[in-house]
Coordinates of all heavy atoms in Angstrom, one line a residue:
K386 N -153.5 7.4 172.0 CA -153.9 7.1 173.4 C -153.1 8.0 174.4 O -151.9 8.0 174.3 CB -153.7 5.6 173.7 CG -153.8 5.2 175.1 CD -153.5 3.8 175.4 CE -153.5 3.5 176.9 NZ -152.4 3.4 177.5
T387 N -153.8 8.7 175.3 CA -153.1 9.5 176.2 C -153.1 8.7 177.6 O -154.0 7.9 177.8 CB -153.8 10.9 176.5 OG1 -155.1 10.7 176.9 CG2 -153.8 11.6 175.2
D388 N -152.1 8.9 178.4 CA -152.0 8.3 179.7 C -153.2 8.6 180.7 O -153.8 7.8 181.2 CB -150.8 8.7 180.5 CG -149.5 8.0 179.9 OD1 -149.7 7.2 179.2 OD2 -148.4 8.4 180.3
S389 N -153.6 9.9 180.6 CA -154.8 10.3 181.3 C -156.2 10.1 180.8 O -157.2 10.4 181.5 CB -154.6 11.8 181.8 OG -154.6 12.6 180.6
G390 N -156.2 9.7 179.5 CA -157.5 9.5 178.9 C -158.0 10.8 178.1 O -158.9 10.6 177.4
D391 N -157.5 12.0 178.4 CA -157.9 13.1 177.7 C -156.7 14.0 177.6 O -155.6 13.8 178.1 CB -159.0 13.8 178.5 CG -158.6 14.3 179.9 OD1 -157.4 14.1 180.4 OD2 -159.4 14.9 180.6
I392 N -156.9 15.1 176.9 CA -155.7 16.1 176.8 C -155.9 17.1 177.9 O -156.9 17.9 178.0 CB -155.7 16.6 175.3 CG1 -155.5 15.6 174.3 CG2 -154.8 17.8 175.2 CD1 -155.6 16.1 172.8
A393 N -154.8 17.2 178.6 CA -154.8 18.2 179.7 C -153.6 19.0 179.8 O -152.7 19.0 178.9 CB -154.9 17.3 181.1
N394 N -153.4 19.9 180.9 CA -152.2 20.6 181.0 C -150.9 19.8 181.1 O -149.8 20.3 180.8 CB -152.3 21.5 182.2 CG -153.4 22.6 182.0 OD1 -153.6 23.1 180.9 ND2 -154.0 23.1 183.0
E395 N -151.1 18.7 181.7 CA -149.9 17.7 181.6 C -150.3 16.4 181.2 O -151.4 15.9 181.5 CB -149.3 17.6 183.2 CG -148.6 18.8 183.6 CD -147.8 18.6 184.9 OE1 -148.2 17.6 185.6 OE2 -147.0 19.4 185.2
G396 N -149.5 15.7 180.5 CA -149.8 14.3 180.0 C -149.0 13.8 179.0 O -147.8 14.3 178.8
S397 N -149.4 12.8 178.3 CA -148.6 12.2 177.3 C -149.5 11.4 176.2 O -150.7 11.2 176.6 CB -147.5 11.2 177.8 OG -148.3 10.2 178.4
V398 N -149.0 11.2 175.1 CA -149.8 10.5 174.1 C -148.7 9.4 173.5 O -147.6 9.8 173.3 CB -150.3 11.3 172.8 CG1 -149.1 12.1 172.2 CG2 -151.1 10.5 172.0
I399 N -149.2 8.2 173.4 CA -148.4 7.1 173.0 C -148.9 6.6 171.6 O -150.1 6.2 171.5 CB -148.5 5.8 174.0 CG1 -148.1 6.3 175.3 CG2 -147.5 4.7 173.5 CD1 -148.3 5.4 176.5
F400 N -148.1 6.7 170.6 CA -148.5 6.3 169.2 C -148.3 4.8 169.0 O -147.5 4.1 169.7 CB -147.8 7.1 168.3 CG -148.0 8.6 168.2 CD1 -147.3 9.4 169.0 CD2 -149.1 9.1 167.4 CE1 -147.6 10.8 169.1 CE2 -149.4 10.4 167.5 CZ -148.7 11.3 168.3
P401 N -149.1 4.2 168.1 CA -148.9 2.8 168.0 C -147.5 2.2 167.6 O -147.3 1.1 167.9 CB -149.9 2.5 166.8 CG -150.8 3.6 166.8 CD -150.1 4.8 167.3
N402 N -146.7 3.1 167.0 CA -145.3 2.6 166.7 C -144.4 2.8 167.9 O -143.2 2.6 167.7 CB -144.8 3.4 165.5 CG -144.6 4.9 165.7 OD1 -145.0 5.4 166.8 ND2 -144.2 5.6 164.7
G403 N -144.9 3.2 169.1 CA -144.0 3.3 170.3 C -143.5 4.8 170.5 O -142.9 5.1 171.5
F404 N -143.7 5.8 169.5 CA -143.3 7.1 169.6 C -144.2 7.7 170.8 O -145.4 7.6 170.8 CB -143.5 7.8 168.3 CG -143.0 9.1 168.2 CD1 -141.6 9.5 168.1 CD2 -143.9 10.2 168.2 CE1 -141.1 10.7 168.0 CE2 -143.4 11.5 168.2 CZ -142.1 11.7 168.1
I405 N -143.6 8.5 171.7 CA -144.2 9.1 172.7 C -144.0 10.7 172.8 O -142.7 11.0 172.6 CB -143.8 8.5 174.1 CG1 -144.1 7.0 174.1 CG2 -144.6 9.2 175.3 CD1 -143.5 6.2 175.3
I406 N -145.1 11.4 173.1 CA -144.9 12.8 173.3 C -145.4 13.2 174.7 O -146.6 12.7 175.0 CB -145.6 13.6 172.2 CG1 -145.0 13.5 170.8 CG2 -145.5 15.1 172.6 CD1 -145.8 14.1 169.7
K407 N -144.7 13.8 175.5 CA -145.2 14.2 176.8 C -145.1 15.8 177.0 O -144.2 16.4 176.4 CB -144.3 13.6 177.8 CG -144.3 12.1 177.9 CD -143.4 11.6 179.0 CE -143.2 10.1 179.0 NZ -144.6 9.5 179.4
W408 N -146.0 16.3 177.7 CA -145.9 17.8 177.9 C -146.5 18.1 179.3 O -147.1 17.3 180.0 CB -147.0 18.4 176.9 CG -148.4 17.9 177.1 CD1 -149.3 18.6 177.9 CD2 -149.0 16.9 176.5 NE1 -150.5 17.8 177.9 CE2 -150.4 16.8 177.1 CE3 -148.7 15.8 175.7 CZ2 -151.3 15.9 176.7 CZ3 -149.6 14.9 175.3 CH2 -150.8 14.9 175.7
G409 N -146.0 19.3 179.7 CA -146.4 19.9 181.0 C -145.7 21.3 181.2 O -145.4 21.8 180.4
Y410 N -145.9 21.7 182.4 CA -145.4 23.1 182.8 C -145.0 23.0 184.2 O -145.2 22.1 185.1 CB -146.4 24.0 182.6 CG -147.6 24.0 183.6 CD1 -147.7 24.7 184.8 CD2 -148.7 23.1 183.3 CE1 -148.7 24.4 185.7 CE2 -149.8 23.0 184.1 CZ -149.8 23.6 185.2 OH -150.8 23.5 186.1
K411 N -144.1 24.0 184.6 CA -143.5 24.1 185.9 C -143.4 25.6 186.3 O -142.9 26.4 185.5 CB -142.0 23.5 185.8 CG -141.4 23.6 187.3 CD -141.6 22.3 188.0 CE -140.6 22.2 189.3 NZ -141.0 21.1 190.1
S412 N -143.9 26.0 187.5 CA -143.8 27.3 187.9 C -142.4 27.4 188.5 O -141.9 26.5 189.0 CB -144.8 27.6 189.0 OG -146.1 27.5 188.5
T413 N -141.9 28.6 188.2 CA -140.4 28.8 188.6 C -140.2 30.1 189.4 O -141.0 30.9 189.5 CB -139.7 28.9 187.4 OG1 -139.8 30.1 186.7 CG2 -139.7 27.6 186.5
A414 N -139.1 30.2 189.8 CA -138.7 31.4 190.6 C -137.3 31.9 190.4 O -136.5 32.3 191.2 CB -138.8 31.1 192.1
G415 N -136.9 31.7 189.1 CA -135.7 32.3 188.7 C -134.4 31.3 189.2 O -133.3 31.8 189.2
T416 N -134.7 30.0 189.4 CA -133.6 29.1 190.0 C -133.7 27.9 189.1 O -134.6 27.6 188.2 CB -134.0 28.9 191.4 OG1 -135.3 28.1 191.6 CG2 -133.9 30.0 192.3
S417 N -132.7 27.0 189.5 CA -132.8 25.7 188.8 C -134.1 24.9 189.2 O -134.3 25.0 190.4 CB -131.6 24.9 189.2 OG -130.4 25.5 188.6
Q418 N -134.6 24.0 188.4 CA -135.8 23.3 188.7 C -135.6 22.0 188.1 O -135.2 21.8 187.0 CB -137.1 24.0 188.1 CG -137.3 25.3 188.7 CD -138.0 25.3 190.1 OE1 -138.7 24.4 190.5 NE2 -137.6 26.3 191.0
D419 N -136.0 20.9 188.9 CA -136.1 19.6 188.4 C -137.5 19.3 187.9 O -138.5 19.7 188.6 CB -135.8 18.6 189.4 CG -134.4 18.6 189.9 OD1 -133.5 18.8 189.0 OD2 -134.0 18.3 190.9
V420 N -137.7 18.7 186.8 CA -139.0 18.3 186.2 C -139.1 16.8 186.1 O -138.2 16.1 185.6 CB -139.1 18.9 184.8 CG1 -140.5 18.5 184.2 CG2 -139.2 20.5 184.9
V421 N -140.1 16.3 186.8 CA -140.4 14.8 186.6 C -141.5 14.6 185.7 O -142.6 15.2 185.8 CB -140.7 14.3 188.1 CG1 -141.0 12.7 187.9 CG2 -139.5 14.5 189.0
F422 N -141.4 13.6 184.7 CA -142.4 13.5 183.7 C -143.6 12.8 184.4 O -143.4 12.2 185.4 CB -141.9 12.5 182.7 CG -140.8 13.1 181.8 CD1 -139.7 12.4 181.5 CD2 -140.8 14.3 181.3 CE1 -138.7 12.8 180.7 CE2 -139.9 14.9 180.4 CZ -138.7 14.3 180.2
P423 N -144.8 13.1 183.9 CA -145.9 12.5 184.6 C -145.9 10.9 184.6 O -146.4 10.2 185.4 CB -147.2 12.9 183.7 CG -146.6 13.9 182.6 CD -145.1 13.8 182.8
S424 N -145.2 10.3 183.6 CA -144.9 8.9 183.6 C -143.5 8.7 182.8 O -143.2 9.6 182.1 CB -146.1 8.1 182.9 OG -146.2 8.5 181.6
A425 N -142.7 7.7 183.2 CA -141.5 7.6 182.5 C -141.6 7.1 181.1 O -142.5 6.4 180.8 CB -140.6 6.5 183.4
F426 N -140.6 7.5 180.3 CA -140.4 7.0 179.0 C -139.9 5.5 179.2 O -139.1 5.2 180.0 CB -139.4 7.7 178.1 CG -139.9 9.0 177.6 CD1 -139.5 10.2 178.2 CD2 -140.7 9.1 176.4 CE1 -140.1 11.4 177.7 CE2 -141.1 10.3 175.9 CZ -140.8 11.4 176.5
E427 N -140.4 4.6 178.3 CA -139.9 3.2 178.5 C -138.6 3.0 178.0 O -137.8 2.3 178.7 CB -140.9 2.3 177.6 CG -140.6 0.8 177.8 CD -141.5 0.0 177.1 OE1 -142.7 0.3 176.9 OE2 -141.1 -1.1 176.5
N428 N -138.0 3.7 177.0 CA -136.6 3.4 176.5 C -135.8 4.8 176.7 O -134.7 4.6 177.2 CB -136.6 3.0 175.0 CG -137.3 1.6 174.9 OD1 -137.0 0.7 175.5 ND2 -138.6 1.6 174.2
K429 N -136.2 5.8 176.0 CA -135.3 6.9 176.0 C -136.2 8.3 175.7 O -137.1 8.2 175.0 CB -134.3 6.8 174.8 CG -133.3 7.9 174.8 CD -132.2 7.6 173.7 CE -131.2 8.8 173.7 NZ -130.0 8.5 172.9
C430 N -135.7 9.3 176.3 CA -136.2 10.7 175.9 C -135.1 11.3 174.9 O -134.1 11.3 175.3 CB -136.2 11.5 177.2 SG -136.9 13.3 176.7
F431 N -135.6 11.5 173.7 CA -134.8 12.0 172.7 C -134.5 13.4 172.8 O -133.2 13.9 172.7 CB -135.4 11.9 171.4 CG -135.8 10.4 171.0 CD1 -137.0 10.2 170.5 CD2 -134.9 9.3 171.1 CE1 -137.4 8.8 170.1 CE2 -135.2 8.1 170.9 CZ -136.5 7.8 170.3
T432 N -135.4 14.3 173.2 CA -135.3 15.8 173.4 C -136.3 16.4 174.1 O -137.4 15.9 174.3 CB -135.2 16.5 171.9 OG1 -134.7 17.7 172.0 CG2 -136.6 16.4 171.2
V433 N -136.0 17.5 174.6 CA -137.0 18.4 175.4 C -137.0 19.9 174.9 O -135.9 20.4 174.6 CB -136.7 18.4 176.9 CG1 -137.6 19.4 177.6 CG2 -136.7 17.0 177.5
F434 N -138.1 20.4 174.6 CA -138.3 21.8 174.3 C -138.9 22.5 175.4 O -139.7 22.1 176.0 CB -139.2 21.9 173.0 CG -138.8 21.1 171.8 CD1 -139.2 19.8 171.5 CD2 -137.8 21.8 170.9 CE1 -138.7 19.1 170.5 CE2 -137.4 20.9 169.8 CZ -137.7 19.7 169.5
L435 N -138.3 23.8 175.6 CA -138.8 24.7 176.7 C -139.2 26.1 176.1 O -138.6 26.6 175.3 CB -137.6 24.9 177.7 CG -137.0 23.6 178.3 CD1 -135.7 24.1 179.2 CD2 -138.0 23.0 179.2
V436 N -140.3 26.6 176.8 CA -140.8 27.9 176.5 C -141.2 28.5 177.7 O -141.9 28.0 178.6 CB -142.0 27.9 175.5 CG1 -142.6 29.3 175.4 CG2 -141.7 27.2 174.2
G437 N -140.5 29.7 178.0 CA -140.8 30.4 179.2 C -141.7 31.5 179.0 O -141.9 32.1 178.1
H438 N -142.7 31.8 180.1 CA -143.6 32.9 180.0 C -143.6 33.6 181.4 O -143.7 33.2 182.4 CB -145.1 32.3 180.0 CG -146.1 33.3 180.1 ND1 -146.3 34.2 179.1 CD2 -147.0 33.6 181.2 CE1 -147.3 35.1 179.6 NE2 -147.7 34.7 180.7
E439 N -143.3 35.0 181.2 CA -143.2 35.8 182.3 C -144.4 36.8 182.3 O -144.6 37.6 181.3 CB -141.9 36.7 182.1 CG -141.5 37.5 183.4 CD -140.1 37.9 183.4 OE1 -139.3 37.6 182.4 OE2 -139.7 38.8 184.1
T440 N -145.2 36.7 183.3 CA -146.4 37.7 183.4 C -146.1 39.0 183.4 O -145.2 39.6 184.0 CB -147.1 37.2 184.7 OG1 -147.5 35.9 184.8 CG2 -148.4 38.1 184.8
G441 N -146.8 39.7 182.5 CA -146.5 41.2 182.4 C -145.4 41.6 181.4 O -145.3 42.7 181.2
S442 N -144.7 40.6 180.8 CA -143.5 40.9 180.0 C -144.1 41.3 178.6 O -145.1 40.8 178.2 CB -142.6 39.6 179.9 OG -141.6 39.9 178.9
T443 N -143.4 42.2 178.0 CA -143.8 42.7 176.7 C -142.8 42.3 175.6 O -142.7 42.8 174.6 CB -143.9 44.2 176.7 OG1 -142.7 44.9 177.1 CG2 -145.1 44.7 177.6
G444 N -142.0 41.3 176.1 CA -140.9 40.8 175.0 C -139.6 41.0 175.7 O -139.3 41.7 176.7
G445 N -138.6 40.3 175.1 CA -137.2 40.3 175.5 C -137.0 39.5 176.8 O -135.9 39.8 177.5
G446 N -137.8 38.6 177.3 CA -137.7 37.8 178.5 C -136.6 36.8 178.3 O -135.9 36.7 177.2
T447 N -136.2 36.3 179.5 CA -135.2 35.4 179.5 C -135.7 33.9 179.2 O -136.7 33.5 179.6 CB -134.5 35.3 180.8 OG1 -134.1 36.6 181.1 CG2 -133.4 34.4 181.1
S448 N -135.0 33.2 178.3 CA -135.4 31.9 177.9 C -134.8 30.8 178.9 O -133.7 30.9 179.3 CB -134.9 31.5 176.5 OG -135.5 32.4 175.6
P449 N -135.7 29.8 179.2 CA -135.2 28.8 180.1 C -134.2 27.9 179.4 O -134.3 27.8 178.1 CB -136.4 28.0 180.5 CG -137.4 28.2 179.4 CD -137.0 29.7 178.9
E450 N -133.3 27.2 180.0 CA -132.3 26.3 179.3 C -132.2 25.0 180.0 O -132.5 24.9 181.3 CB -131.0 26.9 179.5 CG -130.9 28.2 178.7 CD -129.4 28.9 178.7 OE1 -128.6 28.3 179.5 OE2 -129.2 29.9 178.1
L451 N -131.9 23.9 179.3 CA -131.7 22.7 180.0 C -130.5 22.7 180.7 O -129.5 23.1 180.2 CB -131.6 21.5 178.8 CG -133.0 21.2 178.2 CD1 -132.7 20.2 177.1 CD2 -133.9 20.5 179.2
K452 N -130.6 22.1 181.9 CA -129.4 22.1 182.8 C -128.7 20.7 182.8 O -127.5 20.6 182.9 CB -129.8 22.4 184.2 CG -128.7 22.4 185.2 CD -129.2 22.8 186.6 CE -128.2 22.6 187.7 NZ -128.7 22.8 188.9
S453 N -129.5 19.7 182.3 CA -129.0 18.3 182.2 C -129.7 17.7 181.0 O -130.8 18.1 180.6 CB -129.2 17.6 183.5 OG -130.6 17.3 183.7
L454 N -129.1 16.6 180.5 CA -129.7 15.8 179.4 C -131.0 15.1 180.2 O -130.8 14.8 181.2 CB -128.8 14.9 178.9 CG -127.6 15.5 178.1 CD1 -126.7 14.3 177.7 CD2 -128.2 16.3 176.9
A455 N -132.1 15.1 179.4 CA -133.2 14.4 179.8 C -132.9 12.9 180.0 O -132.2 12.3 179.2 CB -134.4 14.6 178.9
T456 N -133.5 12.3 181.0 CA -133.5 10.9 181.3 C -134.9 10.4 180.9 O -135.8 11.1 180.5 CB -133.1 10.5 182.7 OG1 -134.1 11.0 183.6 CG2 -131.7 11.2 183.2
T457 N -135.2 9.1 181.2 CA -136.4 8.6 181.0 C -137.5 9.1 182.0 O -138.7 9.1 181.7 CB -136.4 7.0 181.1 OG1 -136.0 6.6 182.4 CG2 -135.6 6.4 180.0
T458 N -137.0 9.6 183.1 CA -137.9 10.2 184.1 C -137.9 11.7 184.3 O -138.9 12.2 185.0 CB -137.6 9.6 185.5 OG1 -136.2 10.0 185.8 CG2 -137.6 8.0 185.5
G459 N -137.1 12.5 183.7 CA -137.2 13.9 183.8 C -135.9 14.5 183.4 O -135.0 14.0 182.7
F460 N -135.9 15.8 183.7 CA -134.7 16.7 183.4 C -134.6 17.9 184.4 O -135.5 18.1 185.2 CB -134.9 17.3 181.9 CG -136.0 18.0 181.8 CD1 -136.0 19.4 181.9 CD2 -137.3 17.6 181.4 CE1 -137.1 20.3 181.7 CE2 -138.5 18.4 181.2 CZ -138.3 19.7 181.4
S461 N -133.5 18.6 184.3 CA -133.3 19.8 185.1 C -133.2 21.0 184.1 O -132.6 20.8 183.0 CB -132.0 19.8 185.9 OG -132.1 18.8 186.9
M462 N -133.7 22.2 184.5 CA -133.7 23.4 183.8 C -133.3 24.5 184.6 O -133.3 24.4 185.8 CB -135.0 23.6 183.1 CG -136.1 23.9 184.1 SD -137.6 24.2 183.3 CE -138.7 24.4 184.7
S463 N -132.8 25.6 184.0 CA -132.4 26.8 184.8 C -132.8 28.0 184.0 O -132.9 28.0 182.8 CB -130.9 26.8 185.0 OG -130.3 26.8 184.0
M464 N -133.0 29.1 184.7 CA -133.3 30.4 184.1 C -132.3 31.5 184.7 O -131.9 31.3 185.9 CB -134.8 30.9 184.4 CG -135.9 30.1 183.7 SD -136.1 28.4 184.2 CE -136.3 28.6 186.0
A465 N -132.0 32.4 183.8 CA -131.2 33.6 184.3 C -131.8 34.4 185.3 O -131.3 35.2 186.0 CB -130.5 34.3 183.2
S466 N -133.2 34.6 185.0 CA -134.0 35.5 185.9 C -135.4 34.9 186.1 O -135.6 33.7 185.6 CB -134.2 36.9 185.1 OG -134.9 36.7 184.0
S467 N -136.1 35.5 186.9 CA -137.5 34.9 187.3 C -138.4 34.8 186.0 O -138.5 35.7 185.2 CB -138.1 35.7 188.3 OG -139.3 35.3 188.6
T468 N -138.9 33.7 185.9 CA -139.9 33.3 184.8 C -141.1 32.7 185.6 O -140.9 31.8 186.4 CB -139.3 32.3 183.8 OG1 -138.2 33.0 183.2 CG2 -140.4 32.1 182.7
D469 N -142.3 33.1 185.4 CA -143.3 32.7 186.0 C -143.7 31.2 185.8 O -143.9 30.3 186.6 CB -144.7 33.4 185.8 CG -144.6 34.8 186.2 OD1 -143.9 35.1 187.4 OD2 -145.3 35.7 185.7
T470 N -143.7 30.8 184.4 CA -144.0 29.4 184.1 C -143.2 29.0 182.9 O -142.8 29.7 182.0 CB -145.5 29.3 183.6 OG1 -146.3 29.8 184.7 CG2 -146.0 27.9 183.4
V471 N -142.7 27.7 182.9 CA -141.9 27.2 181.8 C -142.9 26.0 181.3 O -143.2 25.1 182.1 CB -140.6 26.7 182.2 CG1 -139.9 25.9 181.1 CG2 -139.7 27.7 182.7
Y472 N -143.2 26.0 180.1 CA -143.9 25.0 179.3 C -142.9 24.1 178.7 O -142.0 24.6 178.1 CB -144.9 25.5 178.4 CG -145.9 26.3 179.0 CD1 -145.7 27.7 179.2 CD2 -147.1 25.8 179.5 CE1 -146.7 28.6 179.8 CE2 -148.0 26.6 180.3 CZ -147.8 27.9 180.3 OH -148.8 28.8 181.0
W473 N -143.1 22.8 178.7 CA -142.1 21.8 178.2 C -142.8 20.7 177.4 O -144.1 20.4 177.5 CB -141.2 21.2 179.3 CG -142.0 20.4 180.2 CD1 -142.4 20.9 181.5 CD2 -142.5 19.0 180.3 NE1 -143.1 20.0 182.2 CE2 -143.1 18.8 181.5 CE3 -142.5 18.1 179.3 CZ2 -143.7 17.6 181.8 CZ3 -143.0 16.8 179.5 CH2 -143.6 16.6 180.8
L474 N -142.1 20.3 176.3 CA -142.5 19.2 175.5 C -141.4 18.2 175.3 O -140.2 18.6 174.9 CB -142.9 19.7 174.1 CG -143.4 18.9 173.1 CD1 -144.9 18.4 173.3 CD2 -143.3 19.4 171.7
A475 N -141.6 16.9 175.6 CA -140.6 16.0 175.6 C -141.0 14.9 174.5 O -142.2 14.5 174.4 CB -140.5 15.3 176.9
I476 N -139.9 14.4 173.7 CA -140.3 13.5 172.8 C -139.3 12.2 173.0 O -138.2 12.3 173.3 CB -140.0 14.0 171.4 CG1 -141.0 15.1 171.0 CG2 -140.0 13.0 170.2 CD1 -140.6 16.1 169.8
G477 N -139.9 11.1 173.0 CA -139.1 9.9 173.1 C -139.9 8.6 172.7 O -140.8 8.6 171.9
N478 N -139.4 7.4 173.3 CA -140.1 6.2 173.0 C -140.0 5.3 174.3 O -139.4 5.6 175.2 CB -139.5 5.5 171.8 CG -138.0 5.0 172.0 OD1 -137.4 5.3 173.0 ND2 -137.7 4.2 171.0

């Protein structure tokens, strides 16, 4: 079951055993950014994966990094240089 009823650019899926996967993206400008989940995890966010995309890059771009541990409501990330979009995937319950 997804929160929004369909699979979209941002959302989450809740499995019958309580396992939750959330996903989304954030446009950036080479600075620290806060990300708020589309809905909070009920208990805990176990981990967050980040992938940066820089328009026009042919490789060797800068990877985004977690700036803080994820909470049930979100996390902070940072980049060493400008990245157009950071896609994230969070896992928890």
